[in-house]
Amino acid sequence: MRATMMDYPLTLTHYLERAGTLLSDREIATRLPGRSIHRYRYGDCHRRARRLASALAKAGLGRGEAVGTMMWNNYPHLEAYFGIPCAGGVVHTLNFRLHPNDIAYIANHAGDRFVIVDDVLLPLFEKVRPEIAPERVFVAALSGEPVPQGYESYEDLLATGDADDDLPALDEGDACGVCYTSGTTGQPKGVVYSHRAMVLHTMAMCMAEPFGLSQRDTVMPVVPMFHANAWGLPYGAVAAGARIVLPGPHLDPASLLDLCEAERVTFAAGVPTIWNGILQALDAEPGRWSLHPALRTAVGGSAASEAMIRGFDRHGVRTIHAWGMTEMTPLGSAAVLKPSMDALDEDTRYAYRARQGRAMPFVDMRLVNDAGVVPWDGETMGEVQVRGPWIAGAYHDSGELGDKWTEDGWLRTGDVATIDDEGFMKITDRTKDLIKSGGEWISSVDLENALMGHPAVSEAAVIAVPHAKWDERPLAVVVLKEGEHTDGDALRDHLAGGFAKWWLPDDYVFVDEIPRTSTGKFLKSALRARYEDRLLPR
Ligand code: ADP
């Protein structure tokens, strides 16, 4: 027997049209650079995204051609998220925190024909423009200033489009977006998403677990829309019909908390750096903000420490720890407890929630080390390998597949982890950050989490540094909280109870700041270079 279902393509066009019909009264609020709030409804967004699609088609954008966006999280960016792909184009979110040379490389590599830029980002864009020469540049004037000479206005572009034009019939395999990995080593690589991948990722993300987005939610993506599709939240929120709050350029803790409070946000998402700052603000001024009782946050991009998850619980905010990568659209796993875990003691439950969790539906996951596929015993470490319908099978125009994919077609994530008998994955390192002491692996992540559990410590990075006897030994680089004091001996005592002696860092250095990548992760390569002589005989 053969299936008798229709062959209906999974494309973002469906979500856009649904937003304009069944969900048209839902609100989208954007905080503008001047801090006032712009409000409109899904119905308005739908009409404008359709006008954008029509205008881009009239401007000659061909199927599969890229349009760059250099924008904060705001309503024109949301329009671009739908208007560009629904015109058959590819939305290329440019990470403006990268070095201008990298931005230029990426824009040229993707062949961006047009670029849409926020007016407040024009000074940055000016540095890139001579290197990329896009055919046309459209400026979204959100700051209230007129569009400067030499640029076209985004609003004028929209005015050339007609919201009632037919949208092209797309294939679900068509490209809808492209993101470049931030590439702490080597050239950035382009990951090209298909409509099908994005639709399936959206549906999986919205399920009751992990994120459970619904019409009753007010969703605030703090994670930038230029980073890994803002974890798919712009699509997820629209698919669910949630209210949407876009924070614009003001991302300091007090500004975000003010917005959370004023807009009654129930779901926010961002990297641990953001949440650490917010937690410290909440701790410093308990009672200043009255947050929505249902507020929950998705934290990922790097490890959420157990201390942070506990800290937010004290303020009534539930943290959902998730793991993923640009190559995975990006969601791969989330630490959602099983019902049977309710009976576990509190410490064990927190330990589970601080893991990276169980693979999402449609994400196949395995661990592999030199001996082959690793058992799920919670102890043996191996590299995480994945495959699934929203996982990249190649990079854009990069010729060789390189060693990023195994011969049998799994993506090598570069993360090293254990998986326990409940299927909970726990990242112990990135392959390039592993500390190999006397031939044995030490997990920098475990040590960092434990250090960040010390009351005086704001942040900690543990790195491998060369050692005469053991090849490599761990060194802890620590940032203290404001006004707090401690020393290496005290931190060593703090760790001693939880780790084998040979795991303990050989030395502790105190710094004001840990260098970061453009997406807010510790730049361990810079730390390793800075401290490479630290443990060698002088
Ligand atoms: P890049 O690798 O370019 O920084 P990504 O944002 O795609 O860009 O980063 C993916 C990587 O981030 C993962 O491979 C993993 O190392 C790390 N990561 C993401 N989420 C988590 C998490 N919850 N815990 C620990 N590491 C994480």
Side-chain angles (χ1 to χ4, degrees), residues 180-184 227-228 231 272 299-304 321-328 330 333 354-356 404 413-416 427 429-430 432 445 517 519 521:
Y180 279 70
T181 58
S182 40
T184 40
H227 185 208
W231 302 350
V299 184
S302 48
H321 186 197
W323 167 87
M325 61 198 302
T326 303
E327 288 85 340
M328 303 182 70
S333 70
R355 289 178 196 171
Q356 281 67 24
K404 195 66 193 171
T413 64
D415 289 323
V416 177
I427 294 196
D429 249 308
R430 299 200 68 155
K432 57 181 188 284
V445 175
T517 68
T519 51
K521 300 176 197 202

Side-chain angles (χ1 to χ4, degrees), residues 184-195:
T184 40
T185 52
Q187 293 286 22
K189 305 275 195 307
V191 178
V192 186
Y193 308 101
S194 62
H195 280 263

Side-chain angles (χ1 to χ4, degrees), residues 103 111 157 164-165 203 220 256 272 304 368 375 407 410 476 479 489 525:
I103 302 177
L157 170 68
D164 295 321
D165 275 357
M203 296 222 273
M220 179 167 80
L256 288 173
V368 177
E407 269 176 18
W410 295 64
V479 181
D489 288 343
S525 52

Side-chain angles (χ1 to χ4, degrees), residues 289-496:
W289 290 279
S290 111
L291 301 172
H292 193 290
L295 175 62
R296 62 210 190 276
T297 67
V299 184
S302 48
S305 69
E306 191 181 314
M308 190 177 92
I309 297 173
R310 284 179 187 265
F312 272 110
D313 274 355
R314 281 198 299 277
H315 294 283
V317 178
R318 185 162 61 88
T319 302
I320 307 166
H321 186 197
W323 167 87
M325 61 198 302
T326 303
E327 288 85 340
M328 303 182 70
T329 312
L331 270 186
S333 70
V336 177
L337 297 191
K338 294 172 59 177
S340 59
M341 293 174 169
D342 292 352
L344 298 172
D345 63 85
E346 194 179 86
D347 288 352
T348 312
R349 287 205 311 272
Y350 274 116
Y352 271 116
R353 289 179 56 195
R355 289 178 196 171
Q356 281 67 24
R358 301 207 291 175
M360 303 267 295
F362 277 108
V363 172
D364 290 342
M365 186 183 283
R366 71 181 185 188
L367 295 184
V368 177
N369 68 13
D370 294 345
V373 175
V374 164
W376 291 13
D377 60 9
E379 277 176 20
T380 317
M381 293 187 213
E383 183 186 29
V384 184
Q385 300 185 350
V386 288
R387 61 177 188 192
W390 57 80
I391 295 172
Y395 288 124
H396 172 55
D397 263 359
S398 72
E400 304 265 305
L401 287 183
D403 60 359
K404 195 66 193 171
W405 286 270
T406 64
E407 269 176 18
D408 57 347
W410 295 64
L411 173 78
R412 302 182 51 185
T413 64
D415 289 323
V416 177
T418 60
I419 300 181
D420 64 20
D421 54 0
E422 296 282 18
F424 273 67
M425 190 257 290
K426 178 177 172 219
I427 294 196
T428 52
D429 249 308
R430 299 200 68 155
T431 41
K432 57 181 188 284
D433 293 335
L434 270 176
I435 306 166
K436 217 165 182 187
S437 168
E440 297 288 336
W441 286 356
I442 294 176
S443 159
S444 64
V445 175
D446 284 353
L447 289 166
E448 285 161 3
N449 283 338
L451 283 169
M452 290 196 259
H454 187 284
V457 174
S458 160
E459 285 182 330
V462 176
I463 53 165
V465 290
H467 188 277
K469 180 169 177 196
W470 301 109
D471 291 340
E472 286 178 356
R473 288 292 301 152
L475 172 81
V477 184
V478 177
V479 181
L480 294 178
K481 288 184 188 154
E482 235 178 87
E484 297 283 350
H485 300 280
T486 188
D487 58 16
D489 288 343
L491 292 181
R492 197 181 162 81
D493 289 346
H494 171 75
L495 293 179

Side-chain angles (χ1 to χ4, degrees), residues 51 54-56 58-59 136 155-162 165:
R51 271 172 45 198
S54 150
L56 289 171
K58 286 184 181 153
R136 297 172 72 179
E155 292 302 325
D156 290 348
L157 170 68
L158 289 196
T160 64
D162 183 342
D165 275 357

